[in-house]
Amino acid sequence: MAPRPYWKGYLKLSLVTCAVSLTPATSSREKVRFHTVNAKTGHRVRSRYVDAETGKPVADEDEVKGYETEEGRHVIIEDEEFEAVALESTRTIDIDQFVPADSIEWIWYDTPYYLMPDDEVAQEAYAVIREAMAATGKVGISRLVLSRRERAVMLEPRGKGIVLWTLRYGDEVRDGREIFGDGEEKKAEPRLVSLISTLIEDLTQPWDPAMLGDPVQERLKEIIASKQKKKTKKPSKAGKKEEPETPGNVVNIMDALKKSISQEKKRGG
């Protein structure tokens, strides 16, 4: 059964407009989810907002957003003030600029959605926009309100459709130089690079989504199924990998690489 659209609205490029729908490209439906439960009663625990000073519960209508200017002091922002700075239309993806498809680094990408025409009338305009982006090697940049939050988005042609990526804002991505530093880059020995390249080639295989299987989730499902059957036997730890030992401080990287390549060749047999 196909997932239901998450959002419906319009895709607009200049005077071209078409009805579209947005569906999440990823799903966490199969993930094991837990509730917080009172161990004594077996009842679920409910979260409530309480006043930090009085400890009393706060009614929904009394909850407002505040920006802390100094410890204990806040500037309150009303809903009307949020609305005044928001997008004029929350139902239109208005593409007002394009950039080369390879100019946005992956670190800016956040969440992917499939953007599709919502009816037969919209299909032609949708196809024209998609194919024009593909032909020029460009992606569209726009803004969209999702879950009451305004997001910068990128529209990328992909096969028969368009993938819409929400993007992180400029102040959300750290400059790598803050982490890696501005010092001089250490150069690696060419022969070590050659050995690593050989090892990489030996370990290279065609991409398969099965590589990203989640053994922890599968084990949790087994444990839950076991408990549902009221088995008293404790879950086996046979499938759990042992933590690797901490390596010694002195390592001959050349010997280690040669040994690694030798082992991979034996496996490839």
Side-chain angles (χ1 to χ4, degrees):
M1 182 178 178
R4 295 177 59 184
Y6 175 75
W7 176 95
K8 287 190 176 186
Y10 298 90
L11 175 63
K12 182 176 183 292
L13 173 57
S14 188
L15 299 179
V16 180
T17 303
C18 61
V20 291
S21 63
L22 205 60
T23 303
T26 59
S27 173
S28 59
R29 184 179 300 175
E30 300 302 319
K31 293 292 184 182
V32 176
R33 297 181 182 277
F34 295 94
H35 295 297
T36 301
V37 179
N38 184 335
K40 293 182 178 179
T41 64
H43 301 157
R44 285 183 59 178
V45 175
R46 183 176 63 180
S47 298
R48 301 181 68 184
Y49 283 105
V50 297
D51 188 293
E53 297 297 325
T54 67
K56 294 181 179 180
V58 179
D60 291 346
E61 61 270 20
D62 292 330
E63 294 174 13
V64 295
K65 289 183 171 61
Y67 178 82
E68 189 172 40
T69 55
E70 56 183 274
E71 188 174 356
R73 299 180 67 87
H74 295 81
V75 172
I76 305 301
I77 305 297
E78 304 293 343
D79 289 342
E80 295 78 9
E81 293 172 304
F82 277 109
E83 292 172 3
V85 297
L87 283 176
E88 292 183 5
S89 174
T90 60
R91 288 295 166 188
T92 301
I93 304 171
D94 190 354
I95 311 176
D96 54 7
Q97 54 188 324
F98 293 87
V99 299
D102 59 356
S103 64
I104 302 179
E105 294 182 281
W106 64 268
I107 199 169
W108 295 95
Y109 290 22
D110 191 6
T111 305
Y113 296 84
Y114 292 129
L115 185 71
M116 294 296 295
D118 198 41
D119 54 42
E120 291 185 10
V121 177
Q123 290 181 1
E124 183 175 10
Y126 174 91
V128 168
I129 294 173
R130 179 197 65 216
E131 291 177 21
M133 285 195 294
T136 57
K138 301 293 192 299
V139 293
I141 302 297
S142 185
R143 292 184 300 161
L144 174 64
V145 174
L146 290 174
S147 300
R148 300 180 67 182
R149 182 187 177 191
E150 186 176 311
R151 304 298 303 266
V153 298
M154 179 191 78
L155 288 82
E156 175 187 29
R158 182 182 178 120
K160 297 180 180 180
I162 294 175
V163 173
L164 180 146
W165 281 89
T166 56
L167 300 176
R168 295 182 173 91
Y169 281 114
D171 58 357
E172 293 180 325
V173 177
R174 288 194 175 109
D175 187 333
R177 288 173 296 184
E178 296 178 8
I179 310 301
F180 300 125
D182 293 320
E184 184 179 350
E185 181 182 359
K186 179 177 176 57
K187 298 296 183 181
E189 288 187 43
R191 59 175 183 163
L192 295 180
V193 173
S194 177
L195 282 171
I196 283 288
S197 299
T198 299
L199 182 58
I200 290 173
E201 289 298 328
D202 289 342
L203 293 172
T204 298
Q205 53 187 296
W207 159 250
D208 185 344
M211 293 176 178
L212 306 183
D214 190 340
V216 173
Q217 289 289 312
E218 294 303 316
R219 189 70 187 112
L220 283 172
K221 289 177 182 178
E222 291 176 9
I223 293 172
I224 292 169
S226 175
K227 287 181 175 291
Q228 283 179 321
K229 293 178 181 178
K230 297 182 179 180
K231 290 185 177 179
T232 56
K233 183 179 178 181
K234 292 184 179 180
S236 171
K237 296 183 180 179
K240 185 178 179 181
K241 293 183 178 180
E242 294 183 2
E243 293 294 329
E245 294 182 3
T246 304
N249 292 329
V250 181
V251 177
N252 186 317
I253 189 170
M254 180 67 76
D255 290 344
L257 287 173
K258 288 180 178 179
K259 186 176 181 180
S260 296
I261 294 170
S262 175
Q263 288 178 345
E264 290 303 320
K265 287 183 177 180
K266 288 180 180 178
R267 291 177 186 172

